[in-house]
Amino acid sequence: MDDAVRFCLLAEQVKVEVALFSSYAWSGRTIEYHRAQIRKFHDFREPTVGDEDKLADWPATKICPVEMSRDRLRGALLTRCREDRIEPPKTTRIERVLGAAETLFERNFTHRTLNRLSFDAVGKLEELITAPPPPPAATSDDSASAQAAAEPEGQSQAAAAHEGGRRAFLQELNEDPGSFQLDTLLAEIVKLGRVEAIGLPATLFAEVSEKVVAGWRARAMKMYPSDFKAAEVPVRVTLLAALCHVRQAEITDAWSSC
């Protein structure tokens, strides 16, 4: 909503000419005095630094677990200000509060997810984007020099194939299988077995909505292995877990509907 529309609506409410708004001093002592009068009349108060901290904590624990839209977070924050009879912070401060809330939620969410996963499950998730260790160095035994010269090449090929298999599976998790025919259904069953073998707990994302988990899955689908590696461990593991969790649910739902 632009300023012209706001002025028209406000003019209609207070029964004054719209043209008067263009001559009003929107900064300085006059507006500060009028705002103080309005706050007193409606029994509101100015926000403090402590209020902003509380306003960031509230959406981080109550709204962010079920909603990812910044516009809806902003609307919920403004509603909270009205309920607490606090004058909403300025636009720039509101955006900072919302940013702090999202950061706090992400930190709590990713650490909780990591703590709920077993060491083995974390390792299997990491394997999706981590290259296998290099093959051992060749032996210096003269009697086996020919064999030693051949081993690194063969081991390198095996390691490359192993890494390719891991990353191919990561790519498969990102792909839409299309219409479920017999061949694709059998492939999805195999994929389901591999996802289930990771060992994600059924209650891994119990405190957040499916919309939020789907949002993290969508974020993961846009990332390359190098992007995952650059992320902090809790964030990386949560992204990979969300990707596998949603894909597992999709395959299970498709299988049950056949």
Side-chain angles (χ1 to χ4, degrees):
M1 184 184 299
D2 57 27
D3 290 340
V5 175
R6 291 192 182 94
F7 290 160
C8 289
L9 294 174
L10 185 57
E12 183 179 351
Q13 290 178 351
V14 298
K15 309 301 181 185
V16 299
E17 294 294 330
V18 177
L20 293 176
F21 286 97
S22 62
S23 61
Y24 183 77
W26 293 99
S27 62
R29 290 186 297 175
T30 299
I31 191 172
E32 293 299 328
Y33 173 67
H34 289 162
R35 289 176 67 172
Q37 287 182 310
I38 294 171
R39 284 195 299 269
K40 183 177 180 180
F41 180 81
H42 291 285
D43 192 26
F44 272 60
R45 61 180 176 82
E46 292 184 274
T48 64
V49 174
D51 288 328
E52 292 187 6
D53 291 339
K54 292 179 181 178
L55 288 174
D57 290 341
W58 177 75
T61 56
K62 301 297 183 182
I63 308 300
C64 290
V66 297
E67 184 58 69
M68 298 187 70
S69 167
R70 176 60 76 91
D71 289 339
R72 293 181 181 176
L73 287 176
R74 187 182 300 106
L77 182 65
L78 294 176
T79 299
R80 181 72 175 189
C81 288
R82 287 194 295 270
E83 292 174 351
D84 292 345
R85 310 198 75 76
I86 300 173
E87 180 182 6
K90 295 180 180 180
T91 301
T92 55
R93 299 297 301 175
I94 287 179
E95 296 308 311
R96 290 178 186 175
V97 169
L98 293 176
E102 290 168 338
T103 299
L104 178 59
F105 165 73
E106 178 169 308
R107 184 174 70 246
N108 293 340
F109 174 54
T110 56
H111 280 79
R112 182 174 64 238
T113 300
L114 180 61
N115 291 335
R116 286 180 174 175
L117 291 168
S118 67
F119 181 82
D120 186 53
V122 171
K124 290 178 179 177
L125 288 171
E126 294 274 22
E127 282 184 357
L128 294 174
I129 49 93
T130 304
T139 178
S140 58
D141 190 343
D142 293 336
S143 62
S145 57
Q147 179 181 356
E151 282 181 355
E153 181 180 358
Q155 290 171 345
S156 297
Q157 292 176 347
H162 187 37
E163 179 181 358
R166 290 174 179 174
R167 294 187 175 177
F169 183 51
L170 179 63
Q171 182 63 33
E172 289 176 17
L173 293 173
N174 289 331
E175 294 175 350
D176 182 357
S179 59
F180 271 86
Q181 300 176 356
L182 180 59
D183 54 345
T184 57
L185 182 58
L186 294 175
E188 289 297 288
I189 293 174
V190 173
K191 191 183 302 181
L192 176 61
R194 295 182 69 181
V195 174
E196 289 178 338
I198 293 174
L200 300 181
T203 58
L204 182 60
F205 300 119
E207 286 82 10
V208 298
S209 68
E210 293 182 2
K211 181 190 299 185
V212 171
V213 180
W216 277 73
R217 185 265 189 118
R219 177 177 164 185
M221 290 178 68
K222 299 176 182 178
M223 298 174 66
Y224 294 99
S226 58
D227 298 323
F228 285 107
K229 290 182 179 180
E232 295 182 355
V233 173
V235 175
R236 176 169 67 246
V237 170
T238 301
L239 286 164
L240 291 168
L243 178 63
C244 293
H245 173 86
V246 175
R247 199 71 188 93
Q248 179 178 345
E250 289 176 344
I251 298 172
T252 302
D253 292 345
W255 170 256
S256 62
S257 63
C258 292

